[in-house]
Amino acid sequence: MNDKGGVKETQHKSNGTASSLMWDFSGTILKSIGLFSISVVLARLLLPSVFGVMAIALVLVNLSGIFIEGGFSRAIIQGQYKSVFVLNSVFWMNLLVGILIAVLVFGLSGFVAQWFEMPDLSLVLKLIAPIFIINSLTVVHGAVLQQALRFKTLSLNQLLASIGGGLVAVVLALLDFGVISLVVQQLITASLLLLLYSYSSSFRPGLYLSVVRLRILSRFGSYVFFSGLGQKLYKQIDVLMIGRLFEPGVLGLYSRALSLQTMISTYSSSSFQRVFFPLFSKLYNEKSQFEPVFLKAMSVVSYVAFALSGIAYLSASKVIPWIYGASWEGVVPFFKLLALTAYAFPLNVLIVSAFNGSGRSKMNFWIGNLRKGIGLVSFLFLYAYGIEAFLWSVVAISLLVTFMNFIFVARILKVPFLEELKSVAFPGVTFFTFIAAVKYLGLEAELNALVLTTMFIGTYVVLNALFKFRGSNHLWTTVHNLIQERLALFKKG
């Protein structure tokens, strides 16, 4: 009886995880499609230089999230600290930090605009300052929803907020508000998300703030905070340097290429991170369950990541000018090189989730510093040789860092190194071989980009199926089971 019960419980957890992943992933895809559609309309209405100015403001918004959150939400998600007193303490601390950042950004807006030689940036920073306060009020609600594995709710809320803010921005852009339309988009999106999270979450803030409880949380959160801060700074240095060295139009083109790559890598990997971080936290002490789940996740992520990278690279020259128009053709060479690195981010995010889920946030912090130290080499190429040389160095470094992460997982988390390689080798070899063959044979000049993309998809799917790559089998089996489950519920209903 106990054995059968244990098997049923394990199967239930596995099915629940798969269902959560599919809900979160599908919600992320819908959000991406909605945002992408809105961004296309805005790109056709606004010049690249407008997006270049906004890119600098968004750097500050992204960096502020780390200071506001302070690493505390990770502790809440992990489930170790979830009393109402802890949640209230984190909530009010987040709000205090959000207010402080808003005041600083407003006061320093003129200096920042002068430094980047962008006069319009001063007004943009003044107008966007309230977003730091709005975001600070959202953190605890979002963490509570994640800890409860309510990914369907999270996805729907994010989708509705993003579309609402985007639609308002389109209307303002049509009325010739320029960069102000992008500012309002961010403010409306953040406000809607706060309202939706507050309604969906069970947490209701009370007048309670305990420094002692915050100190307890900081034991875990401090390493997550500094690791996240380093990661955010590292990911924003390119935008800051390009904004300083080149005109806003060039930054706008690069930012567009970067946002397209983000849609492929970050949006998909965020789903895996939100689902697998709580799962790894629960399973790490059970070695017999942690290793197979980690390897299964690795195989599925690699299968999806390399497929998306190949599609992005091969279709770029045809799709980007067709969607955005002639004024955005300069995005293509930037994006194609970034697409060669899109596979790395989801894989590395999964590895970071495994480290944090196993309670090794301190270890991940120091390993992260090493990864970032190696990555800083690329910025020397940017300063000395320009953007193209910088992007080629990013391609090489992303491959090196991913390989290093596999070694760290093998040595620290005791997952066999060869098993890790098996989880990613076949999709990776298929991807790089196909791209190399296209470049060597000069097929990009002879064949239509969409024809090449179709050839890649067919080759990728068929080869992975023929050689029975487990990531392919896991993914399609999960999709099939979920479809059958939904059909059965539909017939009953």
Side-chain angles (χ1 to χ4, degrees):
M1 286 292 292
N2 291 337
D3 290 342
K4 290 182 180 179
V7 171
K8 289 182 179 179
E9 183 179 357
T10 301
Q11 290 176 343
H12 177 72
K13 288 180 179 179
S14 177
N15 293 335
T17 300
S19 181
S20 296
L21 179 58
M22 291 305 296
W23 265 116
D24 195 60
F25 184 74
S26 60
T28 300
I29 292 296
L30 289 174
K31 176 185 173 184
S32 302
I33 293 173
L35 286 176
F36 179 72
S37 301
I38 291 169
S39 71
V40 170
V41 177
L42 290 173
R44 287 186 169 274
L45 295 172
L46 303 171
L47 296 174
S49 58
V50 171
F51 288 90
V53 173
M54 192 63 192
I56 300 298
L58 290 179
V59 168
L60 298 180
V61 173
N62 291 331
L63 289 176
S64 72
I66 297 296
F67 289 95
I68 292 171
E69 188 269 338
F72 294 146
S73 68
R74 283 291 175 191
I76 296 172
I77 294 169
Q78 199 174 31
Q80 297 180 19
Y81 313 97
K82 54 183 179 181
S83 74
V84 65
F85 302 108
V86 169
L87 296 179
N88 275 286
S89 297
V90 173
F91 178 84
W92 294 111
M93 176 57 68
N94 290 341
L95 178 58
L96 290 174
V97 175
I99 293 172
L100 176 61
I101 294 175
V103 172
L104 286 174
V105 169
F106 189 94
L108 296 175
S109 58
F111 172 78
V112 175
Q114 186 177 10
W115 171 258
F116 286 101
E117 299 179 357
M118 297 180 183
D120 293 340
L121 183 58
S122 178
L123 177 60
V124 167
L125 293 178
K126 285 183 171 69
L127 292 176
I128 208 169
I131 200 172
F132 305 110
I133 300 174
I134 298 170
N135 287 343
S136 70
L137 297 171
T138 310
V139 174
V140 173
H141 294 293
V144 169
L145 290 170
Q146 287 189 56
Q147 202 280 328
L149 301 180
R150 294 181 60 187
F151 298 105
K152 178 181 177 181
T153 300
L154 285 163
S155 298
L156 290 175
N157 288 349
Q158 292 168 6
L159 176 63
L160 292 173
S162 299
I163 292 178
L167 292 177
V168 173
V170 169
V171 173
L172 293 177
L174 288 170
L175 296 174
D176 294 327
F177 276 84
V179 70
I180 303 302
S181 60
L182 299 181
V183 175
V184 174
Q185 178 186 18
Q186 297 298 319
L187 292 171
I188 295 294
T189 299
S191 299
L192 288 175
L193 193 62
L194 171 60
L195 292 174
L196 291 168
Y197 274 15
S198 299
Y199 176 79
S200 303
S201 170
S202 61
F203 170 70
R204 295 294 178 267
L207 296 176
Y208 181 88
L209 174 62
S210 171
V211 176
V212 174
R213 294 179 187 273
L214 290 173
R215 285 177 180 173
I216 294 174
L217 260 71
S218 67
R219 297 171 187 173
F220 174 90
S222 59
Y223 291 105
V224 176
F225 166 75
F226 286 111
S227 178
L229 177 60
Q231 181 69 18
K232 286 286 186 180
L233 282 171
Y234 174 71
K235 289 187 69 63
Q236 302 295 334
I237 290 176
D238 53 351
V239 174
L240 295 175
M241 288 188 65
I242 292 172
R244 176 66 173 149
L245 297 173
F246 301 91
E247 62 180 2
V250 175
L251 177 58
L253 294 173
Y254 174 79
S255 297
R256 176 64 55 186
L258 191 62
S259 67
L260 288 172
Q261 188 235 26
T262 299
M263 186 173 64
I264 297 170
S265 57
T266 306
Y267 282 173
S268 60
S269 64
S270 64
S271 298
F272 293 115
Q273 184 181 37
R274 287 195 294 267
V275 172
F276 284 111
F277 173 72
L279 182 64
F280 290 151
S281 299
K282 296 176 181 178
L283 294 182
Y284 181 72
N285 292 327
E286 303 177 37
K287 182 67 175 178
S288 61
Q289 293 189 48
F290 176 82
E291 182 178 312
V293 169
F294 176 79
L295 292 174
K296 180 179 180 179
M298 182 73 76
S299 65
V300 172
V301 171
S302 66
Y303 181 73
V304 174
F306 281 112
L308 293 177
S309 296
I311 293 170
Y313 179 90
L314 294 167
S315 64
S317 59
K318 183 72 173 180
V319 173
I320 290 177
W322 177 71
I323 292 177
Y324 291 108
S327 61
W328 291 91
E329 287 184 356
V331 171
V332 174
F334 296 160
F335 176 74
K336 291 185 74 170
L337 289 175
L338 287 172
L340 293 178
T341 70
Y343 70 89
F345 191 80
L347 289 173
N348 292 329
V349 161
L350 185 68
I351 291 172
V352 170
S353 295
F355 272 103
N356 288 337
S358 66
R360 287 180 167 83
S361 57
K362 180 179 180 179
M363 179 69 69
N364 181 64
F365 168 69
W366 293 112
I367 293 175
N369 287 339
L370 175 60
R371 291 192 296 258
K372 296 176 186 67
I374 296 172
L376 288 175
V377 174
S378 63
F379 297 110
L380 298 178
F381 284 87
L382 174 62
Y383 183 79
Y385 302 108
I387 297 178
E388 185 176 357
F390 160 70
L391 291 174
W392 276 114
S393 68
V394 169
V395 173
I397 290 172
S398 66
L399 187 61
L400 172 63
V401 168
T402 302
F403 186 79
M404 287 174 55
N405 281 340
F406 289 173
I407 296 176
F408 289 131
V409 168
R411 293 182 64 86
I412 298 170
L413 300 183
K414 307 303 179 184
V415 177
F417 181 73
L418 290 179
E419 292 299 318
E420 288 184 83
L421 289 183
K422 288 179 183 179
S423 298
V424 302
F426 199 82
V429 170
T430 306
F431 165 72
F432 283 113
T433 301
F434 194 95
I435 299 299
V438 167
K439 295 293 291 184
Y440 180 76
L441 298 174
L443 296 180
E444 288 178 299
E446 298 180 8
L447 296 176
N448 184 281
L450 298 182
V451 172
L452 283 175
T453 304
T454 304
M455 291 172 59
F456 169 75
I457 295 172
T459 302
Y460 189 85
V461 172
V462 170
L463 287 179
N464 278 277
L466 285 175
F467 286 89
K468 298 181 179 179
F469 174 66
R470 55 189 175 188
S472 172
N473 294 335
H474 292 325
L475 180 64
W476 295 119
T477 299
T478 300
V479 172
H480 177 267
N481 291 339
L482 288 173
I483 291 175
Q484 293 298 318
E485 179 185 333
R486 296 295 181 266
L487 287 175
L489 291 174
F490 177 77
K491 290 178 180 179
K492 289 181 180 180

